[in-house]
Amino acid sequence: MAGRVPIGVIGCGFFARNHMNSWKDLAPQGADLVAVCDIDPGRAKAAAEAFSVPHWYTDAETMFRERNLGLVDIVTRMDTHVQLAEMAFRHRLPTIVQKPFAPDWDACVRIVKGAEKAGLFLAVHENFRFQTPLQKVKEIIDSGVIGPPSWARISFRTGYDIYTGQPYFYGEERFVILDLGVHVLDLARYFLGEVARVSCETQKRNPKVKAEDTATMLCRHMSGAVSMVECTYETKKLPDPFPETLLEIEGPRGVIVTKPGYKMEVTVDGKMTASEIEIPMLHWAKKPWHMIEESVFKTCAHILSALQAGREADTSGRDNLKTYAICEAAYESNATGRAVKPAEA
Ligand code: NAD
Ligand code: 89Y
């Protein structure tokens, strides 16, 4: 599919403005944001006005019937993803679903199989891989200078107030592994390859939340590499590195380390080089979210170009199942006290 792509966004809440800004900025690449939808009419109308979108809806089915969309971008919370994705498939629409893919494994598999049965494009908006600092790390790994990675620590630890923007976190039945674990475990796969087994200990350290807000995971990768993968919203450290994922990746010839403030140190064959990573500041971005906001733009750009070229996105539904399977295995490990092999669909 080449040329212009008429896009409808479903969900006009906290995070959707990043998608809408991205689609507007991707107009030169063929994105036409033609409709937005939210069950809350005030939010749908406000989004249409703020982003000069010609049509707004409170019902996705009506939007699908009335607009000749070429892509639907689902930016609602996970509990609505099965219903909205299946509705999109019935209308034969290429579909993007925000992370986390769905509330559980069976629901994720159902969405992926639904898209495959219908022969439709399906991508998950997994944006951490597209963050500028992490893409630099990937480039260095792929250049081979440190050799094949054999050990890593991948760490997202913050005490930044995320609850004001995302108050639904208080009531989640499964919290940090589905919210942040999906990102950091996806990075573990991205940098070190597929995971053979995972062990996990969760903690609920904030008395106001219902489920786990801290997860400490240990992955054995198929390659033999080992990674420590951590995420928490309960680290009270200043300066708070939010929203940086900090890494140490070791190979036989050297180490890549990222440090707070978008700093990187790369040691190769006994020589260390330090650098600062410049994060582009998009015209609509605000610190400290600018790095995440830029990654949303890059994720949308990647998915759009994959659709236009008729190929799968790197973060296809099928690919994201592999990340989600590790999340499920982490929950099972925490419950059973054993290392767990991720499921295959
Ligand atoms: P939110 O609750 O602020 O917004 C969701 C919106 O969807 C609400 O306005 C709600 O009215 C609307 N909605 C619900 N059901 C609907 C339906 N059937 N049809 C149309 N609209 C419907 O949530 P949010 O914080 O914007 O999060 C949305 C998604 O984005 C979540 O899956 C979240 O995990 C994800 N997210 C991703 C990142 C990231 O970096 N990738 C960051 C934040 C949030
Ligand atoms: O929900 C989280 C995510 O996916 O990325 C950042 C976030 O919004 C808060 O940590």
Side-chain angles (χ1 to χ4, degrees):
M1 179 184 181
R4 304 214 64 81
V5 181
I7 298 171
V9 170
I10 307 181
C12 303
F14 169 74
F15 205 66
R17 65 175 280 280
N18 302 318
H19 290 238
M20 293 171 196
N21 271 309
S22 297
W23 294 128
K24 293 302 279 189
D25 283 1
L26 286 163
Q29 283 79 12
D32 284 330
L33 180 56
V34 294
V36 292
C37 171
D38 198 295
I39 47 172
D40 177 334
R43 284 188 175 189
K45 184 167 182 282
E49 283 168 5
F51 294 95
S52 309
V53 182
H55 307 279
W56 62 268
Y57 294 87
T58 54
D59 172 45
E61 185 97 55
T62 311
M63 176 173 81
F64 293 160
R65 259 201 319 271
E66 292 186 3
R67 305 267 66 90
N68 194 14
L69 298 179
L71 177 63
V72 60
D73 187 14
I74 300 174
V75 199
T76 57
R77 278 145 53 186
M78 61 180 167
D79 54 316
T80 56
H81 290 178
V82 170
Q83 185 227 341
L84 290 169
E86 289 185 344
M87 192 192 291
F89 301 156
R90 284 197 297 281
H91 287 265
R92 305 227 35 88
L93 283 173
T95 299
I96 307 172
V97 175
Q98 244 298 348
K99 56 59 62 175
F101 203 168
D104 59 46
W105 171 251
D106 288 347
C108 298
V109 172
R110 183 170 159 172
I111 298 175
V112 170
K113 293 205 166 156
E116 287 176 351
K117 194 165 167 220
L120 287 167
F121 179 96
L122 172 67
V124 175
H125 188 102
E126 174 42 71
N127 52 313
F128 274 35
R129 285 184 194 203
F130 292 91
Q131 291 178 358
T132 290
L134 304 179
Q135 290 203 316
K136 295 246 183 298
V137 168
K138 178 73 167 145
E139 273 167 34
I140 295 169
I141 293 172
D142 289 349
S143 76
V145 289
I146 66 161
S150 45
W151 188 93
R153 172 173 293 129
I154 301 173
S155 179
F156 190 106
R157 311 189 70 81
T158 184
Y160 183 83
D161 170 28
I162 37 78
Y163 295 101
T164 300
Q166 296 170 272
Y168 50 88
F169 283 159
Y170 287 116
E172 296 288 17
E173 298 290 338
R174 303 203 295 174
F175 174 22
V176 89
I177 297 179
L178 288 193
D179 182 58
L180 287 176
V182 291
H183 291 309
V184 284
L185 289 167
D186 192 66
L187 293 174
R189 289 182 53 228
Y190 187 53
F191 294 133
L192 291 105
E194 298 307 336
V195 168
R197 61 176 183 265
V198 61
S199 308
C200 172
E201 296 292 339
T202 69
Q203 293 164 286
K204 180 171 102 73
R205 293 157 69 192
N206 179 346
K208 293 191 193 144
V209 298
K210 199 166 172 186
E212 87 288 352
D213 54 29
T214 300
T216 307
M217 298 169 275
L218 177 66
C219 298
R220 168 68 82 172
H221 294 257
M222 305 279 196
S223 64
V226 168
S227 60
M228 293 283 316
V229 184
E230 313 160 354
C231 50
T232 183
Y233 284 125
E234 282 301 308
T235 297
K236 308 280 166 57
K237 185 176 78 171
L238 293 176
D240 193 308
F242 181 86
E244 290 182 74
T245 303
L246 300 174
L247 307 173
E248 288 178 48
I249 300 187
E250 300 184 1
R253 290 178 54 201
V255 181
I256 306 166
V257 180
T258 63
K259 297 198 159 171
Y262 301 112
K263 296 186 175 67
M264 182 155 74
E265 292 175 358
V266 183
T267 302
V268 176
D269 296 335
K271 184 173 177 294
M272 193 275 273
T273 310
S275 59
E276 289 203 11
I277 301 163
E278 199 179 317
I279 310 298
M281 189 78 191
L282 297 179
H283 63 97
W284 45 269
K286 282 197 188 72
K287 287 184 178 179
W289 287 86
H290 61 299
M291 189 270 294
I292 287 200
E293 290 165 331
E294 197 237 351
S295 74
V296 171
F297 172 80
K298 289 202 294 196
T299 309
C300 290
H302 168 77
I303 293 173
L304 178 68
S305 69
L307 176 70
Q308 288 167 319
R311 56 180 162 73
E312 290 224 315
D314 291 352
T315 57
S316 66
R318 179 64 54 194
D319 180 82
N320 203 256
L321 273 187
K322 294 184 187 155
T323 295
Y324 203 97
I326 315 171
C327 295
E328 287 287 7
Y331 279 115
E332 189 182 332
S333 168
N334 179 66
T336 61
R338 286 186 284 106
V340 177
K341 180 177 180 290
E344 282 169 35

